[in-house]
């Protein structure tokens, strides 16, 4: 019998190979005066967002959404979202490059949302970002999606003050943050213990027979209703609950309270006063969000608040925040709605901040982190 052929690759190839590729990774950047030219990639949920920024200048921001594909299921279907990202990625990247007039080889860095979010969706963005970074010899910056919702405001309203409070409200998050430096130092003061604000609106939308996602429909309905018609609870706002959860939120009990009220009308054979229910519910959510945000400002001696996330489109939150923050002498920075929903600009903005702060890029083998903690701004570097 003849000998089997000798292996063509030495068994020990793993180690020296790994060392060689690590040594070739780009280090921290020293951007020019206009700031780094950063590609931002966002695929954490149902929006494929790709943007290009130079420093705080937004050069292009292109978004493809798969929301219409999910609506008939009454919620986001992760498999459908992942496939949609795969299909939309190439055309979205091309459009962002064309609109910005930037060529791939001009870029300084690639930033990508590496968490939190849906595993399959994030995987598409990260895989693409790694391929681009590797092919172009650029640093890869895996950044926190939720912090991105705050960072995007700098593209609209300019540099952040030394310290500010951020309220991030979306379909997946309701978080109160103390931001000392958007690139390096974020403290999580509180978050929702159950449903996020947008999620509660979507559930109440379903209770009231409105299409998915219910948030904007409940909002529109609420504008015709009486906010004082029904006294809905303000969770974690009094006594021991408040002491233990000063900056946390809870909207699940409120949603149940709405369900009871709706059932009560139905059982009595009375038409549900949907606009009044929506208005009273909206008031309860906005009241708790604004009250806790103002309390955080007072306690930390902060006079600026940034509100981000898709739920910040809510008209009652916008109104109440404007009114009560002005009365308290607190500056409110609220980006236009198109920058509040998921988009590439927020990831490019945070990438730009992180690069400008001289951060070392993430390792090329970073994995997605669907539960990325809010105190972690940049994935393992
Ligand atoms: O940030 P976002 O676009 O997606 C993520 O969850 O990441 O937020 C979408 C959420 C949905 O729950 C949607 O119903 C809610 O924000 N929403 C609203 C309004 N616009 C969007 N909720 C209440 N009032 C609105 N005007
Ligand atoms: Zn988001």
């Amino acid at each position: 019998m003849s000998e089997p052929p000798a292996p063509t690759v030495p068994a020990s190839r793993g180690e020296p190979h790994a060392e060689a590729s690590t040594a070739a990774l780009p280090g921290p950047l020293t951007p020019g005066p206009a700031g780094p030219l950063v590609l931002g990639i966002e695929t954490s949920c149902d929006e494929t967002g790709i943007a290009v920024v130079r420093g705080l200048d937004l050069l292009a921001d292109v978004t493809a959404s798969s929301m219409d594909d999910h609506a008939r299921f009454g919620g986001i279907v992760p498999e459908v979202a992942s496939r949609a990202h795969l299909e939309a990625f190439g055309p979205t990247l091309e459009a962002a490059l064309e609109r910005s007039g930037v060529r791939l080889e001009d870029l300084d860095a690639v930033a990508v949302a590496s968490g939190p979010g849906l595993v399959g969706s994030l995987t598409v963005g990260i895989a693409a970002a790694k391929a681009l970074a590797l092919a172009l010899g650029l640093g890869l910056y895996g950044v926190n999606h939720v912090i991105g919702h705050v960072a995007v405001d700098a593209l609209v309203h300019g540099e952040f003050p030394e310290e500010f409070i951020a309220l991030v409200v979306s379909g997946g998050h309701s978080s109160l943050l103390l931001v000392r430096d958007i690139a390096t130092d974020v403290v999580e003061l509180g978050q929702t213990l159950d449903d996020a604000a947008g999620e509660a609106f979507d559930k109440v939308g379903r209770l009231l027979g409105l299409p998915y996602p219910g948030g904007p429909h409940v909002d529109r309905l609420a504008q015709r209703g009486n906010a004082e018609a029904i006294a809905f609870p303000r969770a974690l706002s009094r006594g021991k609950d408040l002491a233990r959860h000063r900056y946390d939120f809870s909207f699940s009990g409120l949603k149940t309270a709405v369900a009871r009220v709706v059932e009560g009308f139905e059982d009595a054979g009375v038409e549900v006063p949907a606009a009044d229910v929506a208005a009273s519910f909206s008031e309860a959510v906005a009241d708790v969000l604004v009250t806790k945000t103002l309390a955080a400002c007072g306690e930390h001696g902060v006079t600026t608040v940034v509100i981000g996330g898709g739920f910040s489109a809510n008209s009652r939150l916008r109104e109440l925040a404007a009114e009560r923050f002005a009365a308290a002498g607190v500056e409110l920075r609220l980006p236009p709605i198109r920058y509040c929903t998921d988009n590439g600009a927020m990831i490019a903005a945070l990438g730009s901040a992180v690069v400008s702060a001289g951060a070392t890029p993430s390792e090329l083998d970073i994995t997605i982190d669907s539960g990325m903690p809010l105190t972690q701004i940049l994935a393992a570097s």
Side-chain angles (χ1 to χ4, degrees), residues 42 44-47 67 145 149 169-173 197-202 212-220 223 308-315 337 340-342:
E42 150 62 31
S44 67
C45 191
D46 59 327
E47 260 103 26
M67 177 49 88
H145 167 90
H149 273 301
V169 270
S170 72
H173 306 278
E199 192 179 359
F201 263 68
D202 294 341
Y212 175 85
H217 297 280
V218 175
D219 188 9
R220 265 193 300 278
Q223 290 167 31
F311 182 79
S312 60
N314 182 258
S315 64
I337 289 161
C340 290
T341 52
D342 293 342

Side-chain angles (χ1 to χ4, degrees), residues 109-124:
V110 178
V112 61
S114 57
L118 299 174
V119 175
S121 290
L122 287 165
T123 302
V124 177

